[in-house]
Amino acid sequence: MSSLLDGLILATASVHVFLAPYTKVEESFNLHATHDVLMYGVGPSALPNYDHFVFSGAVPRSFIGSVLLAWISTPVLYAADHFNLLHSKFDLQLIVRLVLTTFNAIVICLIRRAVSRRFGRGTSAMFAILSCTQFHLPFWMGRTLPNMFALIPVNVSSYLLLNLEPNALRPSTLNVRRAISLLTFTAVVFRSEVALLLAAICLQSLLTGSITFGSLVKTGLVAGLSSIGLTVLVDSYFWSQWPLWPELYGLYFNVYQGKSAEWGVSPPHTYFTSHLPKLLLSSLPLAFLSLVLPSSPRNRTWTTFLPHILFVLGLSALGHKEWRFVVYVVPMFNVAAARSAHWLTTRRVSTIFGRICRLIFFGLLAGNIAATYILTRSSMVNYPGGVALATFNDQYANQTNVHVHISNLAAQTGASLFLQTRAPPYPTFFPSLHPASTSTSWTYSKTENLTLGSLTADRRITHLIAESPEAKVAKGWKVTGALYGFKGWKVDRALVGDLKSGRVLERGVGSVWERLVGALSMEEEEMLWILERAT
């Protein structure tokens, strides 16, 4: 049963990679850094070829996660090549994402096993079910956001604090020190907001006597200084700037200078009224229900996720808010929610109260599944740039001397470097990915802010992946393909009236079923066009 639950967690996250294989602009730095490490290596002569020197982003990000991901993925790529599973550079992107997904899923499985040890197998099963029926965490854990790299050590620290010895009321000092070290490393290297979670856990550990103040200071200094040394050494090298501490630079840029406000400001309650409900779905009310359930001192839930509530409260003081800043709290909220779910489903079914409790849980679970289905469906068609470039590669596979310009929207919605399958660089260690002849090499251009007129005037450009509707009728160009993206969901508002009046029954029960199935339909619209030069 335990292995089956672990397999379910891993399978759920992996399926999301295949359902939505493309990536968006917020994932591009780490994805392209991983691409460059795989393709060029990390020697000094390779660095001038790296993508981040051309598309650097608003603030520098650490290379540590990307380098580790590339190196860990390499033996997996060799195995895939051995079994003839590599057919293009895009397959490398899928495998890299699957490797990241696997590591995140393994740590979620560790948390599940700690739940089983502390709260029992029933609660452990509920944790797996709730985690797998949510959308955001399974969907994003295989995406190369810095937050998803940070999620791994954050969840390992949660596992260390949760995995108690039998009858223990608090974690061992050794596990607390390990958790604090991991959180310190994460805040220094990957995401500075984790420092707030670190502060909450340190405070709780001091108040519960899990660690002394002297030991806390010593642990923090050793972990902090060694992490700073590592990120400055590695990232100064890759960015060719000395000294460079990316997360400190980002903290200065976004918080001290207040630049994050340029991406929008939200009211203080946003995390609790918008982001957490989307991230957690039914786990949110279940988690808070666990606070009032009867329990022994060892099984009290509030000690599990109280630091995570304080973390969210701390982040609520900042103006700019995004769901990814608080994604780290999802597993521990799910632990608390699993306690409530297990309690609801173990009430005696012979009583009205027991049947109501089961009805509440299965209703919440059905809501989870429905929301996840809708979000997954919409996300599958929300990467038109990736679909456009993949379609273009297939459409002109037999053509030589191709020079395609990729519009901003296409580059931001999936047209990654891994999809530039017919242009260098090619990994030297996988000859099967090299073209039969170098004369077939294409040119992919992502130069920004070019007008349609300037693109037309540049005779080197043979094709466009354009986002402007005017391109469809531009002189000198011929549309050869249109790519659709997600527009919204359409509700059949007339259905309720037809059901009340009985008109929907006029065509029989089959018609009722068709109307119910089609009551919510997804709408798509043209977003990108493939054009080739006509004259």
Side-chain angles (χ1 to χ4, degrees), residues 57-117:
V59 294
R61 291 297 182 191
S62 177
F63 266 83
I64 290 176
S66 298
V67 171
L68 289 174
L69 180 60
W71 288 351
I72 293 170
S73 299
T74 299
V76 182
L77 294 172
Y78 274 115
D81 186 54
H82 177 75
F83 291 104
N84 198 31
L85 297 176
L86 296 182
H87 305 290
S88 74
K89 287 195 290 185
F90 183 62
D91 293 330
L92 304 183
Q93 176 173 311
L94 286 175
I95 291 174
V96 163
R97 287 191 55 205
L98 285 170
V99 169
L100 180 59
T101 296
T102 300
F103 272 87
N104 266 310
I106 286 172
V107 182
I108 297 293
C109 292
L110 287 177
I111 293 176
R112 187 203 62 76
R113 289 172 181 254
V115 170
S116 180
R117 185 180 187 187

Side-chain angles (χ1 to χ4, degrees), residues 310 362 491 528:
L310 295 176
F362 286 111
V491 179
L528 295 168

Side-chain angles (χ1 to χ4, degrees), residues 192-427:
S192 57
E193 69 264 12
V194 174
L196 291 175
L197 179 59
L198 170 64
I201 287 176
C202 287
L203 179 61
Q204 183 188 51
S205 300
L206 286 171
L207 293 176
T208 58
S210 300
I211 193 171
T212 64
F213 182 77
S215 181
L216 174 63
V217 171
K218 181 181 177 180
T219 301
L221 282 174
V222 171
L225 292 175
S226 58
S227 299
I228 292 170
L230 177 64
T231 187
V232 169
L233 202 65
V234 171
D235 294 311
S236 295
Y237 171 76
F238 279 102
W239 284 93
S240 298
Q241 299 179 37
W242 179 265
L244 177 66
W245 176 2
E247 275 309 294
L248 181 62
Y249 185 96
L251 194 66
Y252 173 79
F253 180 86
N254 288 313
V255 179
Y256 182 78
Q257 291 188 321
K259 297 291 187 179
S260 62
E262 296 177 3
W263 281 266
V265 175
S266 304
H269 59 76
T270 300
Y271 282 126
F272 290 97
T273 58
S274 178
H275 294 313
L276 285 181
K278 290 178 183 177
L279 285 169
L280 294 163
L281 300 178
S282 64
S283 288
L284 185 59
L286 287 172
F288 285 110
L289 174 63
S290 71
L291 296 177
V292 298
L293 293 179
S295 61
S296 66
R298 179 175 174 269
N299 289 337
R300 286 174 184 161
T301 305
W302 68 268
T303 59
T304 302
F305 76 118
L306 179 60
H308 298 77
I309 296 176
L310 295 176
F311 166 65
V312 178
L313 286 171
L315 279 179
S316 297
L318 299 177
H320 180 62
K321 298 175 179 65
E322 296 184 33
W323 65 265
R324 59 193 178 95
F325 298 161
V326 295
V327 69
Y328 321 106
V329 308
V330 172
M332 299 313 288
F333 268 77
N334 282 345
V335 171
R339 288 268 294 132
S340 294
H342 181 252
W343 186 87
L344 288 171
T345 54
T346 53
R347 300 307 91 196
R348 288 194 302 171
V349 73
S350 58
T351 65
I352 295 178
F353 178 72
R355 290 195 287 270
I356 291 174
C357 285
R358 279 178 167 76
L359 183 62
I360 290 172
F361 170 71
F362 286 111
L364 290 172
L365 189 63
N368 259 21
I369 295 170
T372 297
Y373 171 77
I374 291 171
L375 292 168
T376 302
R377 280 283 314 277
S378 58
S379 296
M380 288 169 62
V381 295
N382 209 18
Y383 298 84
V387 177
L389 192 49
T391 302
F392 180 85
N393 290 334
D394 292 338
Q395 186 172 331
Y396 294 97
N398 298 321
Q399 191 166 322
T400 59
N401 301 318
V402 170
H403 185 135
V404 56
H405 180 266
I406 300 167
S407 71
N408 290 344
L409 179 62
Q412 292 173 4
T413 58
S416 72
L417 293 178
F418 282 104
L419 272 166
Q420 296 182 12
T421 56
R422 299 179 64 82
Y426 300 102

